[in-house]
Amino acid sequence: MRSRSVPAAVAASPGLPVDVVPIALSVDLVLLTVRDDQLCVLLVRRGIEPFRGRWALPGGFVRPQEDLAEAAVRELAEETGVRRRPAHLEQLATYGAPARDPRGRVVTVAFLALAPLSQAPVAGTDAAASRWAPVAGAGDPPGLAFDHQAILGDGLERARAKFEYSAVATAFCEPEFTVAELRRIYELVWGGRLDPRNFHRKVTGTAGFLVPTGRFTTRDGGRPAELYRRGDAGVLHPAMLRPTARPNP
Amino acid sequence: MRSRSVPAAVAASPGLPVDVVPIALSVDLVLLTVRDDQLCVLLVRRGIEPFRGRWALPGGFVRPQEDLAEAAVRELAEETGVRRRPAHLEQLATYGAPARDPRGRVVTVAFLALAPLSQAPVAGTDAAASRWAPVAGAGDPPGLAFDHQAILGDGLERARAKFEYSAVATAFCEPEFTVAELRRIYELVWGGRLDPRNFHRKVTGTAGFLVPTGRFTTRDGGRPAELYRRGDAGVLHPAMLRPTARPNP
DNA sequence: TCCCTTATCGTCGACATGACGATAAACCGG
DNA sequence: CCGGTTTATCGTCATGTCGACGATAAGGGA
């Protein structure tokens, strides 16, 4: 049952059993940012078959001596000109359905990245084009290439869930930001409104979430708001639950 | 920068660019169960180099037409005789450090599985040996093969975290179980004691967590305890936080 | 029967939360 | 200069959950 006459020439490596079938491994990125008061995802237009001309998540094949996260950052730079490491980068999941790529067996490791727009201005070099697409309606009529629509959905759900119990939302913010700006991020990611007073109480009352700078700004109009920086808190105790996630009443 | 003289003979597939370097892809399992009042992980002893004789997580290479979860279940059956699909199976993470396998580039997709002992009795057929190792001190002096110690650690942390906001703990239980048995599971996974009265209030008060059967048992001694089945609740609202996860005081 | 063990129910105070009122401090148009 | 608008921030209050722990129920064993 084990050996199934795979030519030794395609064995992945001399040290491995000859019946090990090599697989192409790629990385794909769900890079999110906030732009024009909308949650946006970075897409690239495919310049080659398959799915030529369709929009897809940025990504590419892993090189022989490259770690996975490293490959993700490199592809991001190559395809979009985004050079700086995103403020937040984490592995999302690995997608390996046998038929997900018509060219052959390609398994992809998806990453979720969050960055403020200023860190990711977008200037593609490799792909035919790249753009920020509002996540509502990303890849609308034809859908994204491959299974990227599903990957995007999983990435969004991961981001929404992580907003509840962690402080990653600050990854979307500039170094200094107001409570209202952070609240707007939450509202865009979760969809819906949050009470400004309760939100303010929560984020300023959670140790390590925000660090006050003592300086103020009026860039949002109205009374001057204090500027904060990210704190060092990774997780929130207790969590901030999204209003929609209330199955009881 | 792109093509780096990789022989076309090793291209992963005819349809892919010739500079795509094929990689060996494996799956590994962190299969947990509760046995003799201990949280245990299934380990197999390696029969071949590298790490011959060392304990490792069960796993193996992905076949050409096989989905990832499918490969995980198959390897579990082949290596340990565990035929039934575990009560809970989820993707954990993918590990791809370039030097994690001395034989060459092998990337592994790790899965986390939970099962009651009755579903996974262990009777190895392929590996030299397999056993249930208490997670406290699994692979003690030499450590596990490859980076499996780190994978096990990540799996345990994932399980601990998931116990807080989901009902997966019932995956360790027989079809019918008492509140005390479920509480013991939590105590073993989290390490530490839980108040029986508060735990009872929490799990019986959370809609969809437990379904009472109306029948009772005295197998734990003392006053008869009601038997329950798993409910259909996937997530818990609000979460049940582990006592140690309290950074405030 | 007394005691021991475990199950289950209740009570109480601390605390987080949602709803929402009130005040503060900038801006703008007149 | 002044009132109106906008946004920020602080408070209040009812509700719900949680941790600590007392009390009672219902078996088994000596």
Side-chain angles (χ1 to χ4, degrees), chain A residues 2 12-13 15-16 20-25 61 63-68 75 91 93-94 96-98 103 105 107 237 245, chain B residues 1-2 13 15-16 20-25 61 63-67 75 91 93-94 96-98 103 105 107 237 245:
Chain A
R2 210 93 205 271
S13 171
L16 293 170
V20 173
V21 176
I23 287 176
L25 189 70
F61 290 97
R63 294 189 178 164
Q65 292 304 321
E66 201 175 36
D67 200 356
L68 301 176
E75 285 293 343
Q91 209 186 95
T94 298
R103 292 169 293 182
R105 189 75 197 270
V107 172
H237 274 280
Chain B
M1 261 284 217
R2 209 93 205 274
S13 171
L16 292 170
V20 173
V21 177
I23 286 176
L25 189 70
F61 290 97
R63 293 186 179 166
Q65 292 304 321
E66 200 175 38
D67 200 358
E75 285 292 342
Q91 208 186 98
T94 299
R103 293 170 293 183
R105 189 74 198 269
V107 172
H237 273 281

Side-chain angles (χ1 to χ4, degrees), chain A residues 59-141:
Chain A
F61 290 97
V62 176
R63 294 189 178 164
Q65 292 304 321
E66 201 175 36
D67 200 356
L68 301 176
E70 208 179 306
V73 174
R74 174 183 54 77
E75 285 293 343
L76 194 58
E78 281 184 9
E79 292 207 36
T80 66
V82 176
R83 298 242 155 261
R84 292 167 63 180
R85 203 181 181 80
H88 177 78
L89 180 71
E90 69 177 65
Q91 209 186 95
L92 183 55
T94 298
Y95 299 79
R100 62 175 292 280
D101 190 319
R103 292 169 293 182
R105 189 75 197 270
V106 179
V107 172
T108 197
V109 182
F111 284 80
L112 173 66
L114 314 181
L117 184 60
S118 66
Q119 277 189 19
V122 168
T125 64
D126 187 336
S130 61
R131 68 168 177 132
W132 289 109
V135 295
D140 248 347

Side-chain angles (χ1 to χ4, degrees), chain B residues 51-77:
Chain B
F51 297 103
R52 179 176 198 148
R54 288 272 278 279
W55 293 97
L57 298 175
F61 290 97
V62 176
R63 293 186 179 166
Q65 292 304 321
E66 200 175 38
D67 200 358
L68 301 176
E70 208 179 306
V73 174
R74 173 183 56 76
E75 285 292 342
L76 194 58

